[in-house]
Amino acid sequence: MLSHVRKHAFQLGRGPLSPGSRAGVGAAVGLLALVSAIESADGRAVHYVALMTVAPILAAGFASWRAVAGVGFLALLVGVGFAVADPAMELPTAVSLVGIAVATVVAASVAAVRQGQVERIGELSRLASVAQQAVLRPLGPQVGTLAVAARYISPTATAEIGGDLYEAIDTPYGVRMIIGDVRGKGLDAVRLASIVLGSYRHVAYERPDLRAVVADLDRAVARNVGDEDFVTAAVVEERGGTLTIVNCGHPAPLLLRRGAVIPLEPPAPAPPLGFMPVVRPRVERLEPGDRLLLFTDGLGEARRDGEFFPTADRAWRLLGHGTVGDGLASLETALVEWVHGRLDDDIALVLMEYTGPRSGVTVAVPSWEVGAAES
C-alpha cells in the first residue's frame, strides 16, 4: 500500500521533482515508514498515528504543494488503515486523522506560497540577467586590429546585475574601448550604466578627440545622477598602432609586454564622470603581441585575510598565454581561488591584444601625438 500511494504522490506534480523536492518527499515518506513500523510493532491499538501530521509539514519546506498534498494523502491513508485495524477505535484516533487532514491543507498552502515566491525570485533573476546582457553586449573575438575578450564576475551566483560596464567599438578613428564603474548597485546602477554606454556608443563614432568623448559622457552622467553619484571610467583608443588612454578616476590599465607588466597611470589625476573631469591623455606605441588589461576596482579590492589579490605580480603568468579569452579564464579562476569564492563587489574585465596594423589600411594617428597631422 505504501509503494502504491507513494507513486501516486509523485504523479501529482507537473514534472520531475527537483533534488530539494525529492529530499523533502523522501524524508517525509521515511518518517511515515518509521511511524508505521513503530505502530505495527506496538500491537493493534493505535497510539502513534498523530505523529504522521509531521510528514506533510516536513515536505512543505522543500516540495511543491502537489507533492505535499500527495504526502498528506499518503499519511491520511496509512492512518486510516491503522484506525480500521484497531478493534476499539477511540476518539483520540479520529482526532489524529482529522489533524493529519488539517496539517495537509495547511502545509500545502504554505508550500504554494513558498513556491510562488521562489518562482517570482527566479523570474526577477532572469529579468536581471536579460537586463545585464542588454547593457553589456558580448565582445570580440576580434574588433579591428585587436583580439578582445571580456568577462563580468558577480559576487554571488544569483546576483548577476551591477553597475560595471564595458564596450569596444571599431570606429573611423580606430578601435575605442571604455570600461567604467557606477557608484552604487542594483537597478539604479544598471540604469546609469546603460545611459553611459548608450551615449558612448553614439559619441565614439562622432568625436575625433577622446577628450571630446569624455566631455559628452560627463554631461550625460551629470544630467542623470544626484550630487554624490558618479562613474569612474577609462576610455582607450588604438589608432594606427598608437594607444591613447584618458582616465577619469578609474584604476590604471595594465600593459603586458614581453613578460613585463606596466601600469599605465595617467599623466595627471582626473575626477570621475559627473564632476567635469579635465583629462590629459597618456599615449603609448604598441608592439604586436602587446596585451592590455582593463578592470574595475572590484579586482583591486579582492582580498583574503586582509591581503589584496596581487594582480600586477601575477598578471603576466595568468594573462600572457593562449587566447585573450583563455587569459581571462585563468585570471578569474585564480581570483576566485584567492578569495575562497567570496567576492565583495562586481568585477568587469576586458583583455585586448594588439595583433599588428591592418594591411592596406591607413588610419590617421591621433591629433595630440607629437608631430602628427590634425585628424
Side-chain angles (χ1 to χ4, degrees), residues 82-250:
F82 281 114
V84 170
D86 187 355
M89 186 175 68
E90 299 178 353
L91 180 61
T93 301
V95 172
S96 296
L97 297 178
V98 173
I100 294 173
V102 172
T104 299
V105 172
V106 172
S109 300
V110 170
V113 172
R114 179 190 52 78
Q115 186 177 359
Q117 292 175 337
V118 169
E119 290 174 354
R120 284 192 292 272
I121 292 172
E123 182 64 21
L124 289 175
S125 179
R126 286 189 292 271
L127 288 174
S129 179
V130 170
Q132 187 80 346
Q133 293 171 10
V135 173
L136 299 180
R137 300 182 300 191
L139 297 186
Q142 190 79 20
V143 182
T145 59
L146 305 178
V148 179
R151 296 180 85 89
Y152 191 98
I153 306 173
S154 175
T156 65
T158 57
E160 301 179 355
I161 195 165
D164 292 10
L165 59 97
Y166 53 75
E167 181 61 287
I169 305 173
D170 191 7
T171 75
Y173 310 106
V175 178
R176 286 178 165 177
M177 296 181 289
I178 184 174
I179 189 163
D181 189 356
V182 176
R183 180 180 180 273
K185 298 180 182 295
L187 292 177
D188 288 340
V190 173
R191 179 188 62 84
L192 183 53
S194 67
I195 290 171
V196 173
L197 285 175
S199 178
Y200 174 76
R201 287 163 183 159
H202 172 71
V203 299
Y205 285 100
E206 302 296 328
R207 305 296 190 188
D209 191 319
L210 285 189
R211 288 166 292 193
V213 172
V214 168
D216 287 344
L217 294 178
D218 177 68
R219 285 190 291 271
V221 171
R223 286 193 297 265
N224 291 278
V225 299
D227 294 337
E228 297 182 357
D229 295 325
F230 57 84
V231 180
T232 67
V235 183
V236 179
E237 175 187 278
E238 183 281 315
R239 191 192 308 195
T242 296
L243 181 72
T244 306
I245 304 171
V246 290
N247 195 318
C248 303
H250 198 76

Side-chain angles (χ1 to χ4, degrees), residues 53 67-68 70 72 90 103 130-131 143 176 204 210 272 294 319 333 354 356:
T53 57
V68 173
E90 299 178 353
V130 170
V143 182
R176 286 178 165 177
L210 285 189
L294 308 174
L319 301 171
T333 300
Y354 178 61

